[in-house]
Amino acid sequence: EHLHCCNCGIESIVIDNEHAPRHLKELYLLDNNINADGCRGLAKLLQRKDASLTGLYLKNNQIDDNGVEILVSALQNNTSLTGLHLQGNNGISMRGKIMLLKLVNDISSIEATLRSNHTLTYLPLGANDQIIQMHINKSTNINNGHDSLEAGREKVIETQLNSASRAQYADLQGVYQSVYSEINPLHLPEVLSLIGLCNGQGEIY
């Protein structure tokens, strides 16, 4: 269930779908040279219908924004991985970090928030990314202890219907439209009641 291949000079991984490990829980690939090509191989593991991997340790590799994009795409519908460790991958720029934030909480619309990844509970990037890390942690903390439906609802309440929180997420993700433009006016009284209940009456005003 655990496979350790640390400091082995690995750059890429070839996954044979016919013989992929079906009971692998944790894969340790720290201190290698894994790049975007290596991420493509890992994506095959994450996209399997019977994916079993819960922990993927990729600290200190050569992953850049292209690699992050591949991993993010693979994790959109993955419901097994709870921990993705990417510290020490210096090729990941702000663009890549924002992709990871959007993975766990896409603020572009309420629907996008509900479709975000609600499985990851641990996604560390490193000590130099405190602002992005803080917002990622808020979302992964919501994932922790909630099922997918509950986590999505909680994220909507905490980050879409809380103006201060939404402003911070929206600024990082480059989102400028109001969330209320999506809400059917017939549902507005119910939404306002929910805001008052969860975020206080002051938030309504």
Side-chain angles (χ1 to χ4, degrees):
E1 293 189 349
H2 304 267
L3 180 59
H4 293 255
C5 298
C6 304
N7 199 20
C8 297
I10 298 170
E11 293 183 4
S12 61
I13 298 170
V14 177
I15 301 294
D16 181 353
N17 284 330
E18 296 297 322
H19 301 92
R22 299 184 184 280
H23 303 291
L24 183 63
K25 295 293 186 183
E26 295 192 332
L27 180 55
Y28 294 81
L29 295 169
L30 294 76
D31 301 306
N32 282 292
N33 297 307
I34 293 172
N35 51 29
D37 285 337
C39 290
R40 289 188 184 92
L42 293 170
K44 291 184 178 180
L45 277 179
L46 297 169
Q47 290 173 317
R48 293 179 60 89
K49 291 182 179 179
D50 58 349
S52 59
L53 201 64
T54 60
L56 182 55
Y57 299 81
L58 297 171
K59 185 177 179 180
N60 298 334
N61 277 279
Q62 301 298 320
I63 297 171
D64 59 10
D65 292 347
N66 292 331
V68 167
E69 188 170 9
I70 292 165
L71 292 174
V72 165
S73 178
L75 287 168
Q76 291 292 342
N77 298 308
N78 176 279
T79 58
S80 68
L81 196 75
T82 58
L84 175 62
H85 302 250
L86 291 169
Q87 310 99 306
N89 286 279
N90 297 324
I92 302 177
S93 72
M94 181 60 71
R95 173 176 166 266
K97 294 164 190 173
I98 290 172
M99 283 192 282
L100 291 163
L101 174 59
K102 291 182 71 174
L103 170 66
V104 291
N105 196 351
D106 186 341
I107 207 76
S108 61
S109 69
I110 290 176
E111 183 180 355
T113 299
L114 293 172
R115 289 200 315 264
S116 299
N117 180 291
H118 305 311
T119 304
L120 282 166
T121 60
Y122 195 58
L123 180 52
L125 300 180
N128 296 325
D129 309 295
Q130 293 183 6
I131 294 177
I132 293 283
Q133 189 69 69
M134 178 184 69
H135 288 90
I136 287 175
N137 289 349
K138 285 181 180 179
S139 297
T140 55
N141 286 341
I142 290 173
N143 290 349
N144 191 19
H146 293 86
D147 64 29
S148 181
L149 187 63
E150 291 173 341
R153 180 179 180 274
E154 189 70 16
K155 287 176 187 177
V156 169
I157 293 170
E158 293 293 330
T159 62
Q160 287 281 15
L161 302 181
N162 182 306
S163 57
S165 181
R166 187 179 191 278
Q168 295 172 355
Y169 277 82
D171 184 57
L172 287 169
Q173 296 184 23
V175 175
Y176 304 107
Q177 75 270 19
S178 169
V179 66
Y180 294 103
S181 63
E182 302 177 51
I183 298 174
N184 187 321
L186 295 175
H187 297 155
L188 194 55
E190 181 182 353
V191 171
L192 291 175
S193 176
L194 182 62
I195 292 172
L197 179 64
C198 297
N199 296 325
Q201 294 295 318
E203 181 66 25
I204 297 176
Y205 301 103

